[in-house]
Amino acid sequence: QVQLVESGGGSVQAGGSLRLSCATSGYSSGSRCMGWFRQVPGKEREEVAGIDSGNSRTYYSDSVKGRFTISLDNAKSTVYLQMNSVKPEDTAMYYCAANPRFFGRSGWCAGMQADFRYWGQGTQVTVSS
């Protein structure tokens, strides 16, 4: 049984930083994609960052490129999302997701909600101006 548990959300002022963590368990061997998604009420869940556990290849959406960094510590089975220079529009519920390795619409590990099989419960990030 694959389980994903996010932590690290909270409130931060615009221009500040926050680091989200996602602890994973129950995953068998084999390359997989790990992704961070976010969702605001009334909108689709969108992937903001993804990483391939096999070669550490990464994907970023245009909205966070240059500000967010995704990383994976295989020894700790934990994926991180370092959020720098945050903006009020980054306010959302952030979700960690996992799936066997795939090539999505924008590259490796870059896809939509339906492309990921396993999900965490989410952690709220609120950015104030």
Side-chain angles (χ1 to χ4, degrees):
Q1 182 77 7
V2 175
Q3 289 189 320
L4 308 175
V5 180
E6 302 99 334
S7 61
S11 297
V12 62
Q13 287 196 326
S17 297
L18 207 60
R19 189 176 81 157
L20 306 183
S21 300
C22 174
T24 71
S25 61
Y27 227 106
S28 59
S29 60
S31 293
R32 62 190 182 275
C33 288
M34 300 297 302
W36 282 100
F37 283 71
R38 67 186 182 189
Q39 188 172 27
V40 297
K43 291 193 174 181
E44 287 186 4
R45 195 173 294 188
E46 63 162 344
E47 186 180 17
V48 296
I51 188 167
D52 184 327
S53 72
N55 56 27
S56 297
R57 197 173 338 198
T58 57
Y59 157 80
Y60 296 98
S61 69
D62 289 341
S63 60
V64 307
K65 198 173 295 182
R67 300 187 298 120
F68 291 9
T69 302
I70 187 171
S71 60
L72 178 62
D73 185 333
N74 281 310
K76 295 182 179 179
S77 298
T78 300
V79 61
Y80 302 96
L81 184 69
Q82 179 66 44
M83 306 168 62
N84 296 332
S85 302
V86 295
K87 304 174 182 179
E89 51 263 43
D90 293 323
T91 295
M93 183 71 79
Y94 283 74
Y95 297 89
C96 176
N99 196 75
R101 190 166 176 251
F102 70 94
F103 189 87
R105 60 179 179 175
S106 300
W108 288 104
C109 303
M112 302 180 293
Q113 183 176 352
D115 294 316
F116 285 83
R117 184 180 306 173
Y118 305 105
W119 291 87
Q121 81 288 351
T123 186
Q124 177 68 37
V125 172
T126 302
V127 182
S128 58
S129 56

